[in-house]
Amino acid sequence: MTYLLLFIPFAILILINLFPREKRTEPAFWLGLAVLVFQAGAVVASQFGYWGTILTSQLESVFGFNLQLYKMGHVLVMASALAGATALLVARATLKNKRDRFNFVGLLLVSLIGINGIAMVTDIFTLYIFIEVTALATFILIMLNREQAAFEGAFKYLIMSVVATVLMLAAVSLFILIGGGTSFLDVKMAVISDPLAYTALLLFLCGLFIKGGMVPFHGWLPDAYSSAPTAVSVWLAGIVTKASGIYALIRLMVIFGGLEPLQNIMLTVGAASIVIGALAALGQKELKRLLAYSSISQMGYIVIALGSGTVLGIFAALFHFFNHTLFKATLFANVAAVEEQTGTQEMEKLGGLAQKMPITGLTSAIASLSTAGLPPLSGFWSKLLIIIALWISGHYFFAAVAVLASVVTLAYFLLLQRQAFFGLVPAALKEVREAGPILLIPAVFLSLLIVVIGLVFPFMIQMVLR
Amino acid sequence: MMNKEALLLAAIFAPIFGALILPLLGRVSQGLRNNTALALVALSCLCSLSFIPSVMGGKNIIFSFALPLSLSLTFYADTLAVFMAVVSSFIGAIIVLYSFDYISHYDNQNEYYLMVVLFLGAMMGLVYSANLIYLFLFWEITAIACWRLIGFYRGQRDVLKADKAFLVTVFGALVMLIGFVAIFQQTGTFNLIIMRGQVLPDIIVALILFGILSKSATLPFQTWLPDAGVAPSPVTALLHAAVLVKIGVYVFARLFLMTFMISSSWHATVMMIAGASALVAAGAALVETDIKRLVAYSTISQIGFIFLGLAAGNMVGAVGGLLYILMHGLAKGGLFLCAGIIEQNAKTKDITRMGGLIRTMPVTAMAFLFCAFSVMGIPPLGGFFSKFMVISGGIKSGEIWLTLVFIVGAFMTILYLFRAFTLIFLGESKGYPSREGSKMMVACVALLAILSLAGGLLANYPIGFLKTAGYQMVGLLK
Amino acid sequence: MMLLSVLLILLVLISLWAVMTPLLLRAAIGLAATSALLTMIMYQLGAPLAAVFELSVCAGLISVVFVSVVSLTHRLPLKEFMKRRQSRIKRFIFLPLLLVAALAIMLTIKLPFQLQLPAADKISDVRVMLWNIRRIDLFGQIMALLAGVYGVLILFRGRKTDGD
Amino acid sequence: MVIDQLFWLFFMTFILLLIEGFYCVTVTYNLFRILIGLEVLIKAVTLFVIAAGYLSGHLALAQSIVITIIVIEVVVVVVAAGIILGFFREFDSLNVKNARRMKG
């Protein structure tokens, strides 16, 4: 399965470029969607132990890749499938230019390969390569329809990304110097034995914080999210920054879980991100920027959960990671619908859209409340587990911060709801109608998932823990 | 004999899942949707009623489904729970009936019925759940439903008020959640039945009390409740009188009387807060001119009395406090529904601009008077017995001076309700065209008034029932 | 050791020039020179393969990209240029001072490193390393190059007037 | 001992190059010059990787890593150049302040 996750997107990527120029957009869309369906299917099938031996053993002799897909990798692969499918559908509805749509599929596949790679690496330098592949595809995606603001957003992202590269590679070279290798095992041995390698690990984490847009390195993230085309924002917010920053962080924490100072850094950075992201979101006037700051804040929850240093905390972090994909992809799909129907995403000009666009209004309310951690939606359970993990590991203060920041989260989502969906319809928007089915399908599907996971989570956890 | 556990689940999940299909039914026919909504609530009420014989006989009903991480789905029907469930679903059913006419000419009816029934279903779940996490879960569902209901008219001001109520209650609830997690750390479980009889540290009590007070709009958090008066009248009746504010009271009884031992200084503290709340809110009600805000302040004041009874720490007080929930629910629900009729037909909420309405709406006037008498505590209406028991419970607990404060509060209640009645119904008509409400609406308020009276005449039955609840309280065993 | 020190000092100086020179074209050339020096250092350290890559790709290809970017973006009029130059000098004058200060600090403190070096690698051939052990890196390189191809296709296209 | 000294030498060069690069990135308003600064940063880290490989006797590993870094570096530079050219076409300047002014 590990090879297929890399080679099937790669093969499709080649395939869609073989079609004749005029006719390639439609097949590209459907093939791209097929790849994502395959990803999701592969994860589901692997739950029943299907992939174990059949294909892998034959491919092993040809490609000696050193890859492994753990259970936690499944979460990333599944989340990327969901976010990717949403992004594809949104792109189909919102990108008007055929060539843009075609290029979108191609770049999505490139970054998908990067993300799948991140899910499976066993080597810290290979991890860096795949993070970089994802980032490279993302720079170009942000510039896809060459809006003026996008140049600034993409270049800011590029600058921060190179800075992160420098930090990560400096760490890698220190690992070579001390441990003599870059595989996770070597690195772990080095970190245990030598304080210099420990510093290197911190450098690497800083690089990941930049990639994930954590406070204090969050400056690039709102610009990148808000200047990109909305379809790209879905992809970016739904999975890319999380996969390249936060997932790698989770992966490393699984390896280096027990180190006390590391936990303190995680707790501090996480708490700062939660609070600053949430407060900054309160002051935003554009939907996308609000959601971008909300992302920073929610990433903070994942990082703070890692800081608890317990197995429950890591489980909670992964679960919140998945949930965040669900609700952020829903919300950005809603933004795409609103932008498509009203032509603006400035909250001052919107209002009362729930009456005109009932499905968009309902799904956005579900996703918002789930983000704020209200039951019985899926976000509640992940936040609950995070809080329990923090409290039981004795980090009372951080647990309290995490809980009380939920109120701020709720406040800015109520602001969003009040300005855009709840309330009376302004005169300018009397003629607005519901968006087309292409934009509604992903929103409805994802919010259904949010509700269903919220309802059956206690039963689900029984299966997971077993 | 039907399977009790199935009935228990039906009482909770029939309204919750039934609510979700109401918008679909609404697309087919309005009548079908309305009647289904009523049927769902009534079904829930009947299921709860059917538990009375067995819990009276001391046989509590437990449904449990084991799950890891102490997230076991456990529902537990004891006397207290059944009592709360019956009261809230019964009053809820009357309010749904009343809504048929009241709400029929507004937008967003589908959402209205969805949220009302969901709210009542969540209330059932909250009352019956014996796991703190599910209690919290249902608690928050009621907050979500409230948010949509308070903002029903969609105006800028309405939505702002709805957001305020939502934020205050969620803030309180999250603080309470910290308390729950702390309990989990201490006891290793979220299950209330297992924790029975444990002693709680003060800090956890404070955290949980914070949530309770915010939900029941007691003193430091009272402001959201009058503001929520922007909602349609049946909603305010549901929120203020019958159900929502009682959630806090119920959880107080459930946790601090039925489950945990807390130090007795907390009882005194709660009584003091309740006393301040009763007095301040009554003062506000004396000068308020908006009819719905007036009744809302009266609610805040009366909640103080309930807390007095429950915190008194003796049998008379506790039973009186619980009885108060019933009597106040009936009477205050009646008052709000009367206010709804008046508001809709007189086209104003300002009581100084009304007058002489008794001539045009006599049934409403009589119903208002009876309900007001019950809230004031005038015999032989139901309110008298509950108020009497609460105050004697207060005296028995030894806090004479505090109880005196409440007696002053009771006098103020009489004052402001008489003032309201005089201004609205007596005197000269100020020229507002007014007429009686629709038959259904008037019947509903009349029913509530009659029940208030009947509750007084037949007070023996609920008191006898509540005594069995009183015997189960750990707080009273000492 | 002596030669290596000289090369390193030269590296710092030339890159300093690349960063500080006012003309963009000269900056590009300075960067190419930096790459060339880095190549020499790599060769000196016994890494010929990486050196060749550095020379051909960085000193060659990247310089071509830089020079073409400079030539595609038109030059400023002289007056404007001189004005900017003044403010640039003001801004960049601190860099050499900063460097000297940093050097002085580092020379005085001299952190007590006591490196515990690992056992030497069993594989000493780069080709074996890259093709057999780190195959996945090659795959990653291919993907990065593919992203680059897309970048060229999308970013170097003209204004967005061309529809499809 | 020699190894420690050598490491210190490389380390100092690394730090000096980093200072140059970061200074350049933060001080200038010219996109192209920012790119030059970023390049200097990448050069610094490349040197450091090779040095680490040389000192620890894992030169083969370091070389293969450096080759990968160079490939990725090229793509980054090409993408950045594309962004710069697009920026120039939009704003007719390489100065970041111009973009901010146009945004208002």
Side-chain angles (χ1 to χ4, degrees), chain A residues 10 13 17 62-65 97-100 103 106-107 113 123 125-126 129 133 140 146 177-178 180 182, chain C residues 113 115-118 134-137 139-140 142-144 146-147 150-151 154-155 157-160 162-164:
Chain A
F10 185 46
L13 181 61
N17 280 293
V62 187
F63 308 102
F65 289 179
N97 188 327
K98 252 178 157 181
R99 183 145 105 193
D100 283 353
N103 287 332
L107 285 166
I113 292 169
D123 181 298
F125 181 68
T126 315
I129 295 175
V133 167
I140 305 162
R146 304 154 69 77
L177 186 70
I178 295 154
T182 53
Chain C
F113 281 115
L115 294 173
Q116 306 277 322
L117 294 180
R134 305 196 68 86
R135 238 178 229 169
I136 185 75
D137 290 11
F139 183 79
I142 296 169
M143 286 303 123
L146 260 176
Y150 267 99
I154 291 171
L155 301 175
R157 146 166 72 99
R159 280 179 187 272
K160 43 188 164 179
D162 46 346
D164 187 30

Side-chain angles (χ1 to χ4, degrees), chain C residues 109-129:
Chain C
I109 54 170
K110 198 158 190 348
L111 290 176
F113 281 115
Q114 263 158 15
L115 294 173
Q116 306 277 322
L117 294 180
D121 215 330
K122 287 180 213 97
I123 303 152
S124 55
D125 192 343
V126 189
R127 285 161 297 179
V128 175
M129 189 53 135

Side-chain angles (χ1 to χ4, degrees), chain C residues 20 22 76 79-94, chain D residues 23 27-30 33 95 97:
Chain C
M20 288 188 59
L76 291 169
K79 219 166 90 187
E80 182 80 350
F81 178 74
M82 294 311 282
K83 213 176 76 191
R84 293 255 178 101
R85 185 176 191 167
Q86 289 299 317
S87 76
R88 268 185 53 74
I89 289 172
K90 261 183 234 154
R91 273 183 278 134
F92 272 88
I93 196 73
F94 295 106
Chain D
Y23 193 92
V27 159
T28 187
Y29 296 110
N30 186 317
R33 203 167 288 279
N95 197 321
K97 283 190 282 190

Side-chain angles (χ1 to χ4, degrees), chain A residues 312 315 354-355 358 365 369 372-377 380-381 384-385 387-388 391-394 396 399-400 403-404 406-408 410-411 414-415 417-419 421-424 454-455 457-459 461-463 465, chain B residues 17 27 65-69 71 73 107-108 111 133-134 136-138 140-141 143-144 147-156 159-160 162-164 166-167 170-171 174-175 177-178 181-185 190 207:
Chain A
L312 185 66
F315 176 75
Q355 273 176 23
L369 295 179
L374 281 169
L377 305 166
F380 163 68
W381 295 107
L384 178 71
L385 291 184
I387 293 159
I388 292 179
W391 194 274
I392 286 182
S393 60
Y396 304 121
V403 169
L404 297 183
S406 289
V407 180
V408 187
L410 184 65
L414 287 184
L415 185 80
Q417 288 287 326
R418 186 165 73 228
Q419 301 271 7
F421 295 108
F422 209 22
L424 295 172
L455 290 179
F457 173 75
F459 303 94
I461 198 174
Q462 193 174 24
M463 280 164 53
L465 289 185
Chain B
F17 289 114
R27 299 203 167 222
F65 186 89
L67 290 168
L69 273 183
L71 291 176
L73 189 64
D107 285 343
N108 305 316
E111 187 187 293
I133 288 303
Y134 292 98
F136 178 81
L137 190 148
F138 289 116
E140 293 288 56
I141 295 177
I144 296 174
W147 171 55
R148 298 306 286 198
L149 286 173
I150 297 175
F152 177 76
Y153 291 131
R154 297 287 196 274
Q156 185 71 25
V159 176
L160 263 175
D163 287 358
K164 179 182 173 188
F166 198 15
L167 280 175
V170 165
F171 178 66
L174 287 172
V175 172
L177 182 65
I178 299 181
V181 173
I183 293 180
F184 178 69
Q185 190 197 23
F190 283 120
L207 290 171

Side-chain angles (χ1 to χ4, degrees), chain A residues 95-337:
Chain A
L95 290 178
K96 296 292 178 271
N97 188 327
K98 252 178 157 181
R99 183 145 105 193
D100 283 353
R101 255 182 286 156
F102 175 75
N103 287 332
F104 181 83
V105 178
L107 285 166
L108 187 98
L109 287 176
V110 174
S111 46
L112 188 71
I113 292 169
I115 289 166
N116 286 346
I118 293 170
M120 300 185 292
V121 290
T122 57
D123 181 298
I124 206 160
F125 181 68
T126 315
L127 175 67
Y128 159 75
I129 295 175
F130 281 113
I131 288 177
E132 206 58 36
V133 167
T134 317
L136 283 170
T138 314
F139 302 145
I140 305 162
L141 274 174
I142 294 174
M143 304 272 300
L144 194 65
N145 57 7
R146 304 154 69 77
E147 296 286 332
Q148 283 196 346
F151 292 106
E152 211 188 329
F155 206 74
K156 245 187 188 175
Y157 187 14
L158 191 138
I159 295 172
M160 291 314 279
S161 184
V162 171
V163 173
T165 295
V166 170
L167 292 176
M168 284 164 79
L169 289 180
V172 166
S173 43
L174 285 175
F175 288 139
I176 296 176
L177 186 70
I178 295 154
T182 53
S183 74
F184 285 149
L185 207 66
D186 293 338
V187 172
K188 183 164 190 182
M189 298 310 288
V191 168
I192 292 169
S193 65
D194 195 315
L196 191 60
Y198 203 93
T199 324
L201 185 63
L202 293 187
L203 283 180
F204 201 89
L205 289 187
C206 273
L208 291 180
F209 284 146
I210 293 178
K211 289 276 184 187
M214 304 300 298
V215 172
F217 310 112
H218 62 288
W220 62 270
L221 193 141
D223 285 337
Y225 278 23
S226 63
S227 64
T230 311
V232 179
S233 306
V234 173
W235 181 236
L236 209 59
I239 198 79
V240 169
T241 46
K242 281 188 301 169
S244 53
I246 307 299
Y247 179 83
L249 212 58
I250 302 178
R251 188 83 180 79
L252 289 182
M253 278 311 274
V254 171
I255 299 166
F256 303 106
L259 303 171
E260 182 85 23
L262 216 58
Q263 287 175 19
N264 290 337
I265 291 174
M266 293 283 189
L267 289 169
T268 319
V269 170
S273 300
I274 290 174
V275 173
I276 292 174
L279 291 178
L282 267 180
Q284 298 306 314
K285 295 194 170 59
E286 284 176 24
L287 290 174
K288 278 195 203 167
R289 284 189 85 85
L290 188 147
L291 294 183
Y293 279 108
S294 154
S295 273
I296 296 174
S297 171
Q298 296 305 311
M299 293 303 100
Y301 276 99
I302 300 176
V303 173
I304 209 173
L306 294 176
S308 76
T310 58
V311 177
L312 185 66
I314 286 169
F315 176 75
L318 267 176
F319 187 39
H320 199 66
F321 179 92
F322 186 72
N323 278 337
H324 185 259
T325 299
L326 291 182
F327 45 66
K328 251 326 124 52
T330 312
L331 285 168
F332 270 108
N334 288 325
V335 171

Side-chain angles (χ1 to χ4, degrees), chain B residues 321-341:
Chain B
L322 294 178
L323 187 67
Y324 214 117
I325 294 176
L326 170 66
M327 297 308 175
H328 177 253
L330 291 172
K332 195 49 73 58
L335 284 184
F336 266 113
L337 297 185
C338 287
I341 295 177

